Amino acid sequence: MKSDSLVIIPTYNEIENVEAIIGAVTSLGGHDFDVLVVDDNSPDGTAAVVERIMAERGDSRVNLLKRAGKMGLGTAYIEGFKWALAAGYDYVIEMDADFSHRPEDLIPLQAACAERADVSVGSRYVSGVNVVNWPIGRVLMSYFASKYVKVITGMKVHDTTAGFVCYRRSVLEAIDLEKVEFKGYAFQIEMKFTAYKKGFKIEEVPIVFVNRRLGTSKMSGGIFSEALLGVVKLRLRAMTGKI
C-alpha cells in the first residue's frame, strides 16, 4: 500500500550503503515511508542494487530514477520532487544515503510537518551542536556558514544548510522548481529561503548528525564557498522581487 510520505535519497557511488538505508527506512515502525533513489549513473553499480531490491520486493515502496551522469545534488532533488508530486505524495523528505541522517529521525521530522509546520528541518544546531565524528574544522565551517546565512537572509533557522528536510506538498507546488538556481549545497539554502519568503512555516527538529562510516564524502570547501556566495545572490533576488 502506497504511503503518504516519500523519502528521496540521491546516490552516487553508494553501493556500500544503499541496500541498508532502503531497508532501514522501509522497516521503520510508527509510520510508513516509501523511497525514491535518484542515482547519477554510479559506476559502482548502486542502481543495479536498487533494481534488484525492487524486483525482490515486488511492490511500489522502493523506486528508482536513473540519470545520465553526475549533475548535482540540487537537480537530483528537483527531479525527485517532480516525481513525488506526479505520484501524489503529501510529504516529501530529503535524506542522505550514508546514515549521517538517522532513519529513526524520519518519524519526528514527518510528524512536525504533518502536525504544525509546512517545512520541517532536521537541525544539527537548534539545540547546541549535535554532530558526531566530524573533524572540528568541518564542524566549525558548517556551523558558522549556517549562522552567516541566517544573518544575511533573516531566516529564523539555525541549520540553514541542513539536507534532512521534510516538505508539505503545498510548498513544492508553490515553488517554481524550474527556477531553482543552485545545484550544490546552496540548493538547500535556496529552497528554505524561497519557502520562507513565500510565508510558509519552517520548524526545526533536533537531530544527531553522524559522519558516514562507509563510502566517500561528496563534501568540499568549494561546496561551502558556493553556499556563502550564493546567499548574497539570493538576498539580492529577494530585494528585487524575484523570489
Side-chain angles (χ1 to χ4, degrees), residues 7-11 21-22 25 35-39 77 95-97:
V7 179
I8 301 175
I9 304 177
T11 57
I21 195 69
I22 289 172
V25 170
V35 171
L36 174 66
V37 174
V38 183
D39 185 70
Y77 275 128
M95 185 180 191
D96 289 349

Side-chain angles (χ1 to χ4, degrees), residues 195-216:
Y196 165 74
K197 293 300 291 184
K198 288 184 176 293
F200 289 108
K201 181 180 178 181
I202 303 175
E203 178 176 321
E204 290 183 270
V205 176
I207 65 161
V208 175
F209 182 94
V210 183
N211 193 29
R212 70 160 62 231
R213 290 172 293 175
L214 298 172
T216 303

Side-chain angles (χ1 to χ4, degrees), residues 6 35 37 45 65 76 89 101 107 113 116 130 132 139 141-142 149 200 207-208 215 243:
L6 180 72
V35 171
V37 174
L65 274 179
Y89 287 94
H101 302 142
I107 294 172
C113 213
R116 301 178 298 277
N130 295 311
V132 177
V139 173
M141 183 185 295
S142 172
V149 173
F200 289 108
I207 65 161
V208 175
I243 293 181

Side-chain angles (χ1 to χ4, degrees), residues 13-192:
N13 287 347
E14 291 290 353
I15 198 167
E16 299 100 330
N17 294 303
V18 70
E19 185 166 9
I21 195 69
I22 289 172
V25 170
T26 56
S27 63
L28 283 171
H31 192 92
D32 289 332
F33 295 93
D34 291 351
V35 171
L36 174 66
V37 174
V38 183
D39 185 70
D40 276 4
N41 197 25
S42 298
D44 69 352
T46 298
V49 173
V50 180
E51 289 173 327
R52 173 179 57 78
I53 294 168
M54 292 168 64
E56 290 173 353
R57 292 182 61 102
D59 60 26
S60 59
R61 296 285 310 282
V62 180
N63 305 273
L64 173 66
L65 274 179
K66 292 196 292 185
R67 307 207 303 166
K70 195 173 182 183
M71 295 179 279
L73 182 75
T75 62
Y77 275 128
I78 292 297
E79 289 195 36
F81 292 158
K82 291 177 181 177
W83 190 96
L85 292 174
Y89 287 94
D90 296 321
Y91 305 97
V92 184
I93 303 168
E94 302 176 357
M95 185 180 191
D96 289 349
D98 60 7
F99 285 91
S100 56
H101 302 142
R102 301 182 305 178
E104 59 266 33
D105 288 331
L106 284 166
I107 294 172
L109 191 69
Q110 191 275 346
C113 213
E115 296 168 9
R116 301 178 298 277
D118 300 303
V119 180
S120 55
V121 177
S123 178
R124 298 162 290 185
Y125 306 129
V126 71
S127 60
V129 178
N130 295 311
V131 178
V132 177
N133 293 335
W134 256 11
I136 187 62
R138 189 166 171 186
V139 173
L140 291 173
M141 183 185 295
S142 172
Y143 179 79
F144 285 110
S146 282
K147 292 296 184 185
Y148 166 81
V149 173
K150 182 180 178 183
V151 169
I152 297 297
T153 63
M155 285 192 291
K156 293 179 173 60
V157 176
H158 294 82
D159 195 351
T160 53
T161 61
F164 196 22
V165 186
C166 180
Y167 294 96
R168 282 180 178 262
R169 176 186 186 88
S170 56
V171 177
L172 298 178
E173 288 176 330
I175 294 173
D176 188 343
L177 297 175
E178 298 293 341
K179 292 184 178 178
V180 175
E181 181 175 348
F182 294 107
K183 294 182 172 64
Y185 273 76
F187 162 83
Q188 301 292 2
I189 302 167
E190 183 174 2
M191 286 294 297
K192 295 180 189 70

